[in-house]
Amino acid sequence: MGVEVVFGYPGGAIMPAYDALPKYRVKHVLVRHEQGAAHMADGYARASGRVGVAVATSGPGATNLVTGIATAMLDSVPCVFITGQVSSHLIGSDAFQETDVTGVTLPITKHNWLVTRAQDIGPVLREAFHVALSGRPGPVLVDITKDAQQGSCDFDPADRRLARPARQRPVRATAQDREDAFERAARLIDHAERPLILAGHGIVQAGAAAELLAFVERTGAPVASTLLGLGGFPATHPRALGMMGMHGEAWVNRAVQEADLLIALGMRFDDRVTGNLKTYAPRARKIHVDLDSSEIGKNVAVDVAIVDDVKRVLGELTPRCKRLDRTAWIARIEAEKGDAAVRDIQALPDTGKLHAAHVIHDLWRLTEGKAVVVTDVGQHQRWVAQYYTHDHARGLVTRGGLGTMGFALPAAIGARFARPGDEVWVVAGDGGFQMTACELSTCAQEGIKVNVAIINNGYLGMVRQWQEMFYGGRYVATPMRSPDFVKLAEAHGLTGMRVTKRAELAAVVEAARREPGTVVIDFRVEQEDSVYPMVPSGADLGDMIRRPHAPPSALVETAADTEEDEVPR
Ligand SMILES: Cc1ncc(C[n+]2csc(CCOP(=O)(O)OP(=O)(O)O)c2C)c(N)n1
């Protein structure tokens, strides 16, 4: 199965498996909390396209994995979670550290198994890896009782029967239905005046970036990306528009609302993307390509559906489409860009104050856009989507569906093991970073290098922003005191740095990049900055709250005035 590294934490019910581990050429990374192990496996899988593996003991070890499993489930990330279980004769007796883990994880795994006999371990693990990766990828869990781990059986890894796990039956259309769907899709594309491609996570997962590029170059249609689709199409390509949805670019959301054809590729019309479904893309016919038939028509009714691997579909669809001139449509979108306030912040004069957007924009500039950037959840995540130019598939590791704070640092450790040759940056808020900051200790023990940028605004920023916009500015439970992050890094034997002014930024980032070990940088940014534009939850996609049209100087003065009543950090 080619597993090189597993992330885990031992305990009584998984001890026999741990005891056997040194016999195999598999690296084990000892985490500080099982949630960290789950996110590391997930980050490993997202950064590499291979299966990530995490191991935990029964009871609390297994339940600590739950948040990470659910995170992987909602974003279709292939992971295998292996948990120890109490011995089979104790199951159901409320034995010490017994939890019904297959029960708990049933709704958040693609599939799970309880294994009670040694001879079933090999075949089930084979099947588990197959299920995790095949069709629409996703997490699976194998719960193995202690007596099964202690048992013995004959095992021949070359046994061909093991290589043939139960097949999933994909829903296949008849050859004629398929031909009709391709024909109708090609005709819709040829006849559209304002086509728009919606590129989702499926493009990245299927490795279909080259096919998408060829499709765009043939049809001339512009591309809007979902958050998880960023990097699936190079952001510097002239047809790349940027991100759609709640915190998407204003011109992208307008393009969705004005398009006469949406070509949705490997995306699932999630509510953060569509806003109010009743008014979503009212003028557009819709083509939906997805591997998972259950996604078709789930949120949005479509005119043509093709259920298949998006890489294969694009390969077949592209030659059937005409080369057309889309100049008028592109010019219309470009005109919208002209008044987009979202970029204003980059044009702010350098007053010495530090905006999160500056930090992220400069990180992109200094790393030449080549780093693997791993985000947490919150404002900083949306700023990374907006201000880091994403040209490479799997260059951005970010969780979408579950919105799990605490994801970034452990996921970056996973990415580090998956991509040892690449520079890895964590971008996290001061809140989310603290949820799994214990994994700094894992970085220290493993001697690995991860660069950590804490966008420290002294608040649970995204919640504060909602309070500012929708709750009368009452900041209940969002001001947050943090430890001294520089000292925290040093306490772990790592390097800590701090940046308070933009003028210091580049030198500190370069110093951090030169440092051989993990570095934590505490970026003290403007405290009450907000992410724009924003579509309020459930509102029409066209109803965006835009950055107030204050002259840049006024914006800077307002921000500077807040200094006196800063909350403690
Ligand atoms: C585990 C978890 N708990 C709570 C939330 C709700 N939530 C979403 S964003 C956010 C604030 C994040 O603050 P911070 O990590 O400082 O990042 P910022 O928004 O300031 O960039 C919170 C509390 C969540 N997404 N995940």
Side-chain angles (χ1 to χ4, degrees):
M1 288 171 280
V3 176
E4 296 161 352
V5 57
V6 301
F7 306 94
Y9 206 90
I14 193 77
M15 278 180 72
Y18 267 87
D19 194 44
L21 202 56
K23 290 191 211 131
Y24 300 93
R25 281 207 312 267
V26 176
K27 166 144 184 74
H28 178 265
V29 176
L30 178 65
V31 303
R32 296 300 179 271
H33 187 292
E34 289 86 351
Q35 181 184 349
H39 293 324
M40 285 178 210
D42 177 321
Y44 178 95
R46 289 186 206 239
S48 66
R50 300 191 294 272
V51 178
V53 183
V55 182
T57 191
S58 65
T63 54
N64 275 352
L65 290 174
V66 165
T67 302
I69 300 174
T71 303
M73 182 67 183
L74 271 185
D75 289 350
S76 309
V77 182
C79 292
V80 172
F81 295 97
I82 299 170
T83 46
Q85 182 55 276
V86 299
S87 284
S88 43
H89 72 280
L90 292 173
I91 284 183
S93 71
D94 291 339
F96 178 65
Q97 295 195 325
E98 182 191 2
T99 302
D100 173 7
V101 175
T102 43
V104 168
T105 60
L106 189 67
I108 54 166
T109 50
K110 206 173 153 187
H111 194 55
N112 66 21
W113 297 257
L114 171 64
V115 179
T116 57
R117 302 185 314 167
Q119 62 267 38
D120 295 333
I121 296 176
V124 168
L125 282 175
R126 280 288 163 108
E127 193 177 345
F129 277 80
H130 175 78
V131 172
L133 258 187
S134 63
R136 179 178 181 168
V140 299
L141 180 137
V142 183
D143 196 28
I144 310 175
T145 59
K146 194 167 181 178
D147 53 328
Q149 295 170 52
Q150 285 162 331
S152 58
C153 63
D154 291 330
F155 177 67
D156 176 8
D159 185 341
R160 297 306 304 158
R161 280 170 307 168
L162 288 175
R164 255 184 280 116
R167 286 246 158 265
Q168 289 184 311
R169 251 178 257 263
V171 183
R172 287 238 176 273
T174 63
Q176 189 55 49
D177 287 347
R178 189 179 159 81
E179 173 57 29
D180 288 351
F182 272 81
E183 197 44 39
R184 278 188 295 137
R187 293 297 71 82
L188 280 177
I189 295 167
D190 290 348
H191 288 114
E193 285 176 9
R194 298 183 306 281
L196 181 63
I197 295 166
L198 309 180
H201 197 196
I203 295 289
V204 176
Q205 301 257 52
E211 286 74 10
L212 177 57
L213 195 62
F215 180 66
V216 172
E217 283 176 355
R218 176 90 178 190
T219 61
V223 182
S225 293
T226 65
L227 175 67
L228 296 189
L230 289 173
F233 188 73
T236 46
H237 190 283
R239 287 289 186 269
L241 301 183
M243 191 172 74
M244 64 183 103
M246 180 180 270
H247 289 293
E249 312 284 9
W251 62 84
V252 182
N253 288 341
R254 290 257 165 77
V256 172
Q257 295 304 82
E258 286 178 20
D260 64 358
L261 177 68
L262 295 183
I263 309 161
L265 304 174
M267 55 84 74
R268 60 186 173 92
F269 292 108
D270 121 69
D271 58 279
R272 287 296 194 258
V273 155
T274 61
N276 183 356
L277 279 170
K278 291 203 182 83
T279 56
Y280 179 68
R283 297 169 185 83
R285 311 288 292 273
K286 289 155 194 112
I287 299 170
H288 193 180
V289 179
D290 203 287
L291 197 53
D292 184 351
S293 60
S294 67
E295 289 298 346
I296 307 293
K298 186 177 90 177
N299 295 330
V300 169
V302 296
D303 300 272
V304 179
I306 303 179
V307 178
D308 203 346
D309 179 274
V310 68
K311 187 179 173 85
R312 190 163 40 230
V313 172
L314 287 176
E316 284 179 44
L317 188 58
T318 301
R320 291 171 178 245
C321 297
K322 290 189 183 137
R323 264 178 216 288
L324 289 172
D325 176 25
R326 310 284 186 190
T327 320
W329 172 222
I330 301 298
R332 191 163 158 179
I333 300 171
E334 286 294 327
E336 288 282 351
K337 268 191 196 178
D339 87 318
V342 67
R343 294 286 175 208
D344 288 356
I345 198 156
Q346 275 177 13
L348 289 177
D350 188 357
T351 59
K353 292 298 245 177
L354 195 59
H355 285 269
H358 291 147
V359 177
I360 289 151
H361 183 68
D362 282 1
L363 276 181
W364 166 73
R365 205 169 47 80
L366 296 166
T367 59
E368 298 170 2
K370 291 182 187 146
V372 179
V373 179
V374 187
T375 81
D376 218 74
V377 56
Q379 291 180 308
H380 65 277
Q381 179 190 27
R382 323 304 152 94
W383 282 318
V384 168
Q386 291 177 334
Y387 298 112
Y388 197 97
T389 304
H390 302 279
D391 270 339
H392 309 288
R394 302 192 186 280
L396 172 66
V397 172
T398 190
R399 47 77 276 148
L402 199 69
T404 315
M405 287 173 73
F407 172 80
L409 177 62
I413 296 172
R416 164 83 291 147
F417 281 96
R419 308 257 296 264
D422 289 320
E423 183 172 345
V424 177
W425 278 86
V426 170
V427 180
D430 40 333
F433 174 74
Q434 289 185 69
M435 285 203 171
T436 50
C438 55
E439 302 303 342
L440 284 178
S441 200
T442 309
C443 296
Q445 180 163 346
E446 293 296 330
I448 56 171
K449 173 161 184 62
V450 172
N451 301 299
V452 182
I454 302 177
I455 306 299
N456 183 355
N457 53 14
Y459 284 101
L460 295 173
M462 187 49 97
V463 181
R464 185 210 59 75
Q465 172 170 344
W466 283 50
Q467 289 170 329
E468 178 189 323
M469 290 178 171
F470 313 119
Y471 292 88
R474 293 178 295 280
Y475 294 168
V476 180
T478 46
M480 175 165 270
R481 178 185 283 274
S482 291
D484 180 327
F485 291 122
V486 175
K487 286 190 179 151
L488 184 74
E490 287 167 1
H492 286 87
L494 306 172
T495 307
M497 299 178 181
R498 179 165 292 122
V499 177
T500 56
K501 298 185 179 65
R502 193 176 185 189
E504 304 161 352
L505 208 166
V508 172
V509 168
E510 289 299 13
R513 296 176 78 202
R514 283 194 299 273
E515 213 29 69
T518 291
V519 179
V520 177
I521 312 179
D522 177 15
F523 287 101
R524 295 291 182 96
V525 297
E526 288 297 321
Q527 294 199 267
E528 295 187 41
D529 225 345
S530 289
V531 180
Y532 294 99
M534 175 172 184
V535 181
S537 200
D540 300 353
L541 202 54
D543 267 353
M544 290 165 278
I545 304 173
R546 307 289 294 270
R547 183 176 289 284
H549 275 278
S553 55
L555 211 93
V556 171
E557 273 162 31
T558 320
D561 288 345
T562 61
E563 203 165 1
E564 274 175 18
D565 31 74
E566 278 183 354
V567 294
R569 310 197 208 210

